[in-house]
Amino acid sequence: MSIIAEKIEQVVRQIKQFCEDSQRKPDDVTLLAVSKTRSTDEIREAFHQGLHCFGENYVQEAVGKIVELSDLPIEWHFIGPLQSNKTRQVAESFAWVHSVDRLKIAQRLSEQRPSNLPALNVCLQVNIDDEQSKSGCHPDEALALARQIAELPHLRLRGLMAIPAPTDDAAKQHRAFKAVAELSEQLKRAGLPLDTLSMGMSSDLEAAIAEGSTLVRVGTALFGARPAKSVE
Ligand SMILES: *Cc1c(COP(=O)(O)O)cnc(C)c1O
């Protein structure tokens, strides 16, 4: 069995276990394979081992890979910071965007979504507790922003995404994810039909699943450590 196959099996088994531990159904948690910096051969292999959703962070890198892998029915998710001059390529090439954190970006994605494609699925990224991070809207702005995004014709608002400040402290991980889940419940009570909580990465999967994640974004645990971050 190849290394990737073994790692996939291990992560899938972990997700199943964490779901059982928190009385959740394994089918309620989608595994998004984060393939930034990974080669198309690695993605191809992961696809043939059963993964069908892949997440990318850098537009240039992603678009090349998407073209090269267009023979496979992969669902592509954009999860990186998005500048307004790159929205067109994202609107044309991806099925999902997790990192929408301001109205201007959402408006451009909606305007630029090709009319022959289904609505672009989006998550509103919330900056739940990381004061260092410039990504994500403030939790207090989330409801108003979500309402505006939900009105855009070529987008489908699916839920919230968060990347809490990295910590090994499980209690802190739980607290951050719980805050995202509570914010999502608040938006749902306000009438927004959300079905996605995009939270949890290789190092905090257990806490994220326990607090209600429906989509975990996993890179390192599937593909190994990444080389130094590429620059766009
Ligand atoms: C890189 C990245 C991940 C994956 O992180 P790992 O720790 O490698 O699992 C998840 N989400 C986002 C937004 C990322 O940029």
Side-chain angles (χ1 to χ4, degrees):
M1 204 170 174
S2 72
I3 292 177
I4 290 181
E6 273 173 35
K7 290 194 160 152
I8 293 173
E9 197 183 89
Q10 195 177 357
V11 171
V12 168
R13 203 172 336 112
Q14 278 182 329
I15 292 173
K16 192 158 171 262
Q17 184 63 52
F18 298 150
C19 284
E20 275 173 25
D21 293 347
S22 47
Q23 281 88 49
R24 302 188 58 205
K25 288 188 290 226
D27 286 353
D28 292 347
V29 179
T30 299
L31 172 56
L32 177 68
V34 175
S35 48
K36 61 182 175 216
T37 79
R38 297 298 162 185
S39 71
T40 50
D41 284 345
E42 288 171 289
I43 297 172
R44 213 172 262 287
E45 177 169 9
F47 179 88
H48 289 301
Q49 297 298 334
L51 299 185
H52 298 121
C53 303
F54 288 84
E56 289 282 337
N57 291 57
Y58 311 109
V59 178
Q60 259 6 85
E61 176 191 335
V63 168
K65 290 179 185 175
I66 291 173
V67 170
E68 227 180 289
L69 293 166
S70 58
D71 57 312
L72 300 180
I74 289 177
E75 184 178 270
W76 291 101
H77 294 234
F78 189 77
I79 62 174
L82 184 50
Q83 295 152 4
S84 49
N85 63 346
K86 301 268 170 65
T87 51
R88 182 175 299 280
Q89 283 169 294
V90 170
E92 289 175 352
S93 304
F94 286 82
W96 283 71
V97 179
H98 293 236
S99 44
V100 173
D101 63 358
R102 50 195 197 278
L103 186 61
K104 184 185 171 199
I105 294 290
Q107 284 169 332
R108 290 177 66 91
L109 288 170
S110 181
E111 281 162 18
Q112 295 167 344
R113 181 67 168 172
S115 55
N116 61 319
L117 295 180
L120 181 62
N121 298 292
V122 300
C123 291
L124 176 59
Q125 184 176 352
V126 182
N127 188 350
I128 206 67
D129 69 351
D130 191 349
E131 283 165 15
Q132 309 294 316
S133 166
K134 290 185 279 295
S135 301
C137 73
H138 191 279
D140 292 347
E141 301 167 341
L143 176 57
L145 201 44
R147 281 194 166 125
Q148 289 172 301
I149 294 171
E151 294 294 312
L152 296 170
H154 304 293
L155 301 188
R156 181 168 168 215
L157 179 65
R158 298 296 296 268
L160 300 180
M161 184 274 239
I163 312 172
T167 171
D168 295 333
D169 181 337
K172 281 188 188 156
Q173 295 176 355
H174 278 268
R175 213 176 305 141
F177 291 133
K178 195 186 198 72
V180 184
E182 285 175 356
L183 185 59
S184 167
E185 288 307 313
Q186 188 193 330
L187 269 54
K188 287 193 217 177
R189 283 195 299 275
L192 291 159
L194 308 182
D195 63 7
T196 301
L197 266 183
S198 168
M199 55 188 202
M201 321 203 301
S202 297
S203 56
D204 53 16
L205 272 185
E206 182 167 13
I209 291 173
E211 299 301 341
S213 171
T214 69
L215 185 151
V216 290
R217 307 177 311 269
V218 181
T220 309
L222 292 171
F223 297 109
R226 277 182 296 277
K229 186 172 173 237
S230 77
V231 194
E232 211 177 304

